[in-house]
Amino acid sequence: MSTPFYVSPQQAMADRAEYARKGIARGRSVVVLTYADGILFVAENTSRALHKVSEIYDKIAFAAVGRYNEFENLRIGGVRYADLRGYSYDRADVTARGLANVYAQTLGTIFSSVGEKPYEVELIVAEVGKATEDDQIYRLTPDGSVVDEKNTVVVGGNADSIGTYLGQRHTPGLSLGEALKVAVESLARDPNGGSPRTLTPEQLEVAVLDRARPQQRKFKRILGGQLSRLLAAGSGDGGGDSEDTELDLPELDEDE
Amino acid sequence: MEANTRGTGRLPAAFLTPGHSSFVDFLAEHSPELIPGRRKLPEGLTIEAPHGTTIVAAVFDGGVVIAGDRRATMGNVIAQRDIEKVFPADEYSAVGIAGTAGLAVEMVRLFQLELEHYEKIEGTVLSLEGKANRLTTMIRGNLGMAMQGLAVVPMFAGYDLDLGRGRIFTYDVTGGRSEERGFAATGSGSVFARGSLKKLYRTGLTGDQAATLVIQALYDAADDDSATGGPDLARKIFPIVGLITEDGFRRLSEEEVSAIAVTITDERRNHPDGPQAPLL
């Protein structure tokens, strides 16, 4: 019985895609959406140290679901790619499109290489522009496909139902508080039609790429008290304007 | 060396190897030719290149101020009148550079990236002590070129978030690091600047007073050192002053610095040697 079974290329690829998809569907989702001043990232994540959303470069952030060691590897590769490119040329020459292409090549090569198992990850690479129209969001699947997304995107478990809900509720020009409210509501929904869960600030990882930030680096985590205030304001009535000024806090006071 | 010019366009293995949080170490492995100190010069050759001169810093209540003049010289020629020698290293620290300008500016870029890279990879910032030590390593890497006349002598100042105060570190060309108390000066005019600082410095200064103090010191350095440029009122070129507090790095605006510089220059019309400290 030494003759191997014949597996058609179509079947082999379908099997690999199915394997990766199942791995991704097990995890909690990450929601990415545009708001008036930039791009908001919301993930369900109880860990304060193991991030699903991270900074890559000045205007570029990364969000991922799936196997932690695999997307962490890709994140570090992306940071090295961006820093090396910015150092060799100029900071302005580091773009989300370039990074998405490198990720696509990397994921695609791994996906179709016989010796490796496909990565069980789904990534989002986003870049905040000078205006809402210039914001770029790319979604990358384990086979190396790149999808250019507009306004909202969801990856991870129940992505379809969350994405449909989010897409219907999202309107351009939301304030940060409003956008956060919509994102949290869509994450908290029960896909089987039950009553929605309540997500506390401790269960959420929230970050923004804020184009209004005076610093060169536009990425900012929203933590602790600020997150609680934003969530409370959002659940009350619309988004206030006091939250936005909070975002100008220096970047490094992240631990509380 | 670009990531997607190699092979299939997939990120090279070095990019996906876990372990490094240091950009300099990564660069040394992947693209060593991009590290400033790695370039080999022919033996026995000395190159004349523009040099930056005086950097001063002083600690005040709640932070530290660092300032640099704007002159770069090449031999007896003024190579540039508006060079910038004080740069933010990250949110809470700054680096000022004296020595070979071209190499120093490149070293600062790499140092800024080193701190940012660590922060992104690790998700946390280096301690101020850790940042100062990284700079040591980078200067040491440049020793070969320093021996051939291309020395870089930086000064590092920052706000220590753990200790809640400003701190200053100075370096020699071998990477020798020393923490300074109160104030410090480096570069060709540093002898005169240090004398000035010594007489005018006292504890309990405010940020504004510290800014005035360092500009006074730069004025005195420019007064006696031909390689240091004073406030250029005609061209409106004034020293660069960076203020680092709990709120982070802030570069004083041109209006703020020019206001102080003009006041000092006016005062010096009557007292050319500047303010006088009491004899006893």
Side-chain angles (χ1 to χ4, degrees):
Chain A
M1 297 298 282
S2 62
T3 315
F5 288 110
Y6 173 74
V7 182
S8 71
Q10 289 92 333
Q11 189 57 47
M13 290 302 134
D15 287 350
R16 289 176 150 252
E18 176 70 7
Y19 169 79
R21 201 190 55 74
K22 276 188 174 160
I24 294 162
R26 276 196 292 271
R28 302 267 189 215
S29 297
V30 177
V31 169
V32 178
L33 64 164
T34 57
Y35 70 102
D37 287 329
I39 302 172
L40 171 68
F41 302 79
V42 185
E44 213 184 320
N45 184 1
T46 47
S47 170
R48 303 276 283 166
L50 307 176
H51 297 302
K52 289 185 174 180
V53 182
S54 312
E55 173 186 16
I56 296 279
Y57 210 63
D58 293 352
K59 295 174 182 169
I60 305 174
F62 169 99
V65 291
R67 280 179 80 98
Y68 179 78
N69 68 320
E70 291 174 352
F71 70 67
E72 175 67 4
N73 216 11
L74 289 169
R75 179 185 78 87
I76 289 175
V79 171
R80 286 175 181 161
Y81 163 84
D83 281 350
L84 181 62
R85 197 178 169 91
Y87 182 64
S88 314
Y89 302 116
D90 185 76
R91 294 192 84 91
D93 297 315
V94 183
T95 60
R97 194 187 55 78
L99 183 66
N101 281 333
V102 171
Y103 278 146
Q105 293 295 336
T106 306
L107 284 167
T109 315
I110 294 170
F111 184 78
S112 47
S113 117
V114 179
E116 287 176 88
K117 81 163 194 65
Y119 271 18
E120 298 159 71
V121 294
E122 200 157 353
L123 313 181
I124 295 171
V125 174
E127 177 176 338
V128 68
K130 287 200 172 67
T132 317
E133 311 85 77
D134 306 326
D135 291 344
Q136 295 171 41
I137 306 175
Y138 299 99
R139 180 167 60 89
L140 290 123
T141 55
D143 61 359
S145 312
V146 191
V147 189
D148 183 0
E149 301 279 1
K150 290 272 168 274
N151 300 324
T152 64
V153 54
V154 183
V155 289
N158 307 322
D160 288 343
S161 76
I162 295 174
T164 311
Y165 182 81
L166 183 67
Q168 288 163 353
R169 301 289 305 275
H170 178 273
T171 52
L174 288 176
S175 77
L176 178 57
E178 288 161 355
L180 182 62
K181 182 179 178 231
V182 174
V184 173
E185 273 174 12
S186 51
L187 280 176
R189 263 165 49 89
D190 183 349
N192 303 320
S195 59
R197 296 175 297 145
T198 311
L199 292 172
T200 63
E202 290 74 37
Q203 291 169 288
L204 293 170
E205 179 182 353
V206 180
V208 288
L209 281 169
D210 178 4
R211 76 178 112 254
R213 224 171 121 73
Q215 286 93 336
Q216 188 175 30
R217 294 162 68 185
K218 305 298 181 194
F219 184 83
K220 166 93 176 103
R221 290 191 190 284
I222 298 178
L223 300 161
Q226 192 187 359
L227 178 57
S228 309
R229 282 196 298 280
L230 264 179
L231 284 172
S235 61
D237 186 33
D241 46 4
S242 61
E243 305 90 321
D244 292 341
T245 52
E246 291 276 354
L247 283 179
D248 293 340
L249 283 170
E251 162 128 325
L252 305 176
D253 57 351
E254 287 187 355
D255 313 307
E256 270 338 306
Chain B
M1 205 62 53
E2 201 35 60
N4 51 11
T5 58
R6 293 187 173 186
T8 57
R10 176 178 173 172
L11 283 169
F15 281 67
L16 300 174
T17 311
H20 284 316
S21 320
S22 163
F23 184 71
V24 175
D25 291 353
F26 168 69
L27 212 54
E29 225 163 75
H30 185 258
S31 307
E33 73 283 357
L34 289 177
I35 292 194
R38 289 291 172 92
R39 276 158 219 146
K40 284 278 175 285
L41 295 177
E43 287 292 320
L45 186 80
T46 52
I47 295 177
E48 205 174 12
H51 273 61
T53 44
T54 310
I55 306 292
V56 291
V59 174
F60 61 91
D61 269 5
V64 58
V65 63
I66 179 166
D69 75 309
R70 306 293 293 271
R71 182 172 288 180
T73 54
M74 194 158 68
N76 65 328
V77 174
I78 296 174
Q80 199 182 339
R81 293 177 197 281
D82 61 350
I83 189 174
E84 300 197 1
K85 306 180 220 170
V86 173
F87 305 90
D90 67 355
E91 193 88 31
Y92 290 100
S93 64
V95 57
I97 45 146
T100 315
L103 281 179
V105 170
E106 196 179 8
M107 195 182 280
V108 168
R109 275 186 74 203
L110 190 54
F111 183 58
Q112 289 169 327
L113 200 52
E114 173 79 351
L115 302 185
E116 182 188 326
H117 190 79
Y118 182 94
E119 187 189 322
K120 288 190 289 197
I121 299 277
E122 296 283 324
T124 172
V125 287
L126 274 168
S127 64
L128 194 69
E129 201 85 31
K131 293 175 198 171
N133 284 339
R134 283 313 299 174
L135 194 51
T136 302
T137 318
M138 292 174 65
I139 298 164
R140 215 158 264 159
N142 193 52
L143 187 58
M145 297 181 92
M147 304 270 276
Q148 289 178 287
L150 302 178
V152 179
V153 191
M155 180 190 285
F156 181 64
Y159 185 81
D160 193 322
L161 288 162
D162 298 326
L163 300 179
R165 61 180 171 87
R167 297 171 74 184
I168 306 169
F169 298 90
T170 54
Y171 299 84
D172 61 35
V173 286
T174 65
R177 187 200 95 169
S178 51
E179 184 170 358
E180 306 280 345
R181 283 163 162 243
F183 57 86
T186 187
S188 65
S190 63
V191 192
F192 311 108
R194 197 175 301 123
S196 177
L197 286 167
K198 194 192 276 183
K199 294 302 166 217
L200 295 179
Y201 183 79
R202 61 206 111 96
T203 52
L205 291 172
T206 66
D208 291 346
Q209 287 173 327
T212 309
L213 168 72
V214 290
I215 298 175
Q216 288 276 19
L218 284 176
Y219 191 104
D220 283 320
D223 213 17
D224 290 314
D225 172 38
S226 61
T228 303
D232 191 338
L233 298 180
R235 294 191 183 82
K236 301 203 171 12
I237 301 172
F238 300 103
I240 291 177
V241 183
L243 207 68
I244 310 158
T245 61
E246 205 175 3
D247 298 330
F249 176 90
R250 182 172 81 89
R251 184 174 148 174
L252 293 197
S253 69
E254 203 176 294
E255 293 79 52
E256 288 173 284
V257 180
S258 76
I260 301 174
V262 166
T263 313
I264 289 175
T265 316
D266 286 347
E267 284 293 318
R268 297 261 176 160
R269 292 221 175 88
N270 301 322
H271 305 283
D273 295 337
Q276 296 184 340
L279 273 180
L280 280 174

